[in-house]
Amino acid sequence: MTDKTDKFSRRLLAVAIAISLVVATVTASIYVVFYKIPHQLAHVVADSFRSAFNFQPQVKINDIVVLEQSVPVAELAMESKRVLAQHVYESTWAYSTKTMELYGVFTAKAGFDLKQPFIVRIQKSPPKLFIHLPEPKLLSLEMDNYHILRDEDGYWNKIDATEREAAMDHLKTNARQKVLASPLLSEAKAELEKRIQEIAAKTGYSVEFEYATPASATQRNQQ
């Protein structure tokens, strides 16, 4: 009777150990598949962004935030170009005409405002990275130099300091309008997407871009 009891106890213990091992293996597998691997991927993505762009986006796994956005710089410049602009000012009073003609060379930089949310959401199945970011914008427009092509007073209709200042403001406005009408912003977007695609390719994930509208960005800032 005792031998049978001992055998039964040993079998029960063996079964309990086997079940414990199975549970431990399953638990470890779940941890690796559903936690460790995705979190490692999140850090890989964040490290890739820091290396490529000098900032860390917010990284989510599905809808759970794993890493918060960290931006040592306020803006991400992706493209720049030189712009030539011109402005002509003419005013006639009592048959006396004064004229100014200005020519300026500007450098425009386009990119992204990193004060706005920049989010990478990792979808595990099917494997995909959703990149949520603001629309590109004109970050800066600096005048490199300018030339006064004409500066002619009328006989009694003279150009004053206020008019000269206004003419310079118009020259800058013309340059800004010329930049915004150019493909610079779309080039900045294309360059960023290309570099993020290169990051995604290293992870084996496909990528989809989601751009925030100005209205949604404003609403998020107000919350």
Side-chain angles (χ1 to χ4, degrees):
M1 185 76 176
T2 304
D3 289 342
K4 291 183 178 179
T5 303
D6 289 343
K7 289 180 180 179
F8 178 76
S9 298
R10 285 196 294 271
R11 288 175 183 173
L12 187 61
L13 179 61
V15 170
I17 291 172
I19 292 173
S20 297
L21 289 174
V22 170
V23 170
T25 302
V26 171
T27 301
S29 300
I30 291 173
Y31 171 79
V32 169
V33 173
F34 292 97
Y35 183 84
K36 187 176 181 179
I37 292 176
H39 278 67
Q40 286 177 339
L41 177 61
H43 284 276
V44 167
V45 169
D47 290 343
S48 297
F49 269 82
R50 277 196 300 271
S51 176
F53 306 115
N54 194 33
F55 83 97
Q56 176 181 295
Q58 183 186 88
V59 183
K60 293 182 175 183
I61 298 176
N62 293 330
D63 292 320
I64 299 173
V65 177
V66 178
L67 296 169
E68 288 291 356
Q69 184 170 331
S70 175
V71 287
V73 292
E75 298 173 335
L76 177 63
M78 296 303 302
E79 290 289 325
S80 66
K81 69 180 298 183
R82 299 192 82 188
V83 179
L84 309 180
Q86 201 167 7
H87 175 67
V88 177
Y89 170 71
E90 187 175 277
S91 177
T92 301
W93 176 72
Y95 300 100
S96 178
T97 300
K98 54 187 174 182
T99 303
M100 279 191 71
E101 184 174 354
L102 305 176
Y103 171 89
V105 180
F106 297 78
T107 297
K109 292 183 180 180
F112 298 84
D113 180 2
L114 296 182
K115 295 188 294 294
Q116 301 296 330
F118 201 117
I119 302 167
V120 177
R121 181 167 63 86
I122 300 172
Q123 177 182 281
K124 292 181 289 186
S125 182
K128 194 169 190 177
L129 302 180
F130 291 89
I131 314 296
H132 179 89
L133 65 165
E135 286 284 353
K137 62 183 289 189
L138 178 61
L139 299 177
S140 66
L141 181 64
E142 301 293 336
M143 182 186 291
D144 299 326
N145 56 67
Y146 72 95
H147 304 281
I148 301 176
L149 303 180
R150 295 175 65 190
D151 188 345
E152 301 172 0
D153 290 326
Y155 285 111
W156 50 79
N157 189 15
K158 309 296 183 181
I159 300 173
D160 60 31
T162 301
E163 289 170 313
R164 293 182 194 280
E165 185 177 344
M168 291 296 294
D169 289 340
H170 281 293
L171 180 65
K172 294 173 184 177
T173 298
N174 291 348
R176 181 180 180 83
Q177 291 174 344
K178 192 170 183 179
V179 170
L180 294 177
S182 78
L184 182 63
L185 296 184
S186 60
E187 289 170 354
K189 179 186 285 190
E191 178 62 20
L192 181 67
E193 289 187 0
K194 173 189 169 186
R195 292 173 65 179
I196 292 177
Q197 291 277 12
E198 292 170 355
I199 292 173
K202 295 176 183 178
T203 67
Y205 278 54
S206 62
V207 62
E208 182 175 319
F209 295 93
E210 304 169 338
Y211 287 91
T213 62
S216 65
T218 301
Q219 290 171 0
R220 195 174 285 106
N221 284 339
Q222 292 174 347
Q223 290 177 350

